[in-house]
Amino acid sequence: MAEEETKTLEDLGELTGVEAAEPEAPVYEQKIDAQGRSYATGKRKDAVARVWLKPGPGNIVVNGKDHVEYFARPVLQMILKQPLNAAERADQYDIHCTVKGGGLSGQAGAVRHGISKALTHYEPELRSVLKKGGFLTRDSRVVERKKYGKRKARRSFQFSKR
């Protein structure tokens, strides 16, 4: 029998020559279709937005209308532009999106989520900026269902002693 040498570490001083394997950060690739656009789906409450992003002068079209016309309230327009402003790409991309379901507030949040994801597909290096701003996280809060014996989800009927 050939004697095999097995090396065991007696103390921590012998670890100087041993290199620890560092986990590599995942490399994100650019995802672009044949027309030079990136696509992403954004969700918020019951609203689902399909977003296409391509280089352009900065037009944002929602369901065939300009975003200022579709989202009339300035707060909703600001919500839409948050990821673009955080990435400093406000007038560099044309955005076309269709959104269904929910109300205007949920739809604005869904479009914001979709724009953020589409930006990371087009420019993967923006991921850290958008992740830090919290734009890539899907807001999972939804309406609570109504329970049996209650007036609403948690509201009970008014109590009457007599």
Side-chain angles (χ1 to χ4, degrees), residues 139-150:
D139 192 350
S140 61
R141 295 176 295 170
V142 291
V143 178
E144 189 174 342
R145 75 174 190 86
K146 183 193 173 301
K147 311 312 185 293
Y148 169 76
K150 301 274 188 181

Side-chain angles (χ1 to χ4, degrees), residues 15-24:
L15 283 177
T16 55
V18 179
E19 292 184 26
E22 293 183 22
E24 294 182 19

Side-chain angles (χ1 to χ4, degrees), residues 67 121 127 160:
H67 77 284
H121 291 329
R127 183 175 172 81
S160 173

Side-chain angles (χ1 to χ4, degrees), residues 25-39:
V27 178
Y28 296 99
E29 295 180 7
Q30 193 177 35
K31 298 175 186 172
I32 297 178
D33 64 5
Q35 287 87 22
R37 306 174 299 184
S38 65
Y39 169 78

Side-chain angles (χ1 to χ4, degrees), residues 51-66:
V51 178
W52 290 270
L53 181 129
K54 66 179 181 178
N59 300 327
I60 302 175
V61 179
V62 181
N63 287 354
K65 297 181 181 179
D66 187 51

Side-chain angles (χ1 to χ4, degrees), residues 122-159:
Y122 203 88
E123 289 187 61
E125 59 272 7
L126 291 177
R127 183 175 172 81
S128 62
V129 174
L130 295 172
K131 186 84 170 163
K132 203 171 288 180
F135 302 120
L136 295 176
T137 306
R138 191 241 197 258
D139 192 350
S140 61
R141 295 176 295 170
V142 291
V143 178
E144 189 174 342
R145 75 174 190 86
K146 183 193 173 301
K147 311 312 185 293
Y148 169 76
K150 301 274 188 181
R151 226 170 83 187
K152 293 170 63 178
R154 297 184 180 203
R155 172 91 166 99
S156 297
F157 294 101
Q158 183 170 350
F159 175 74

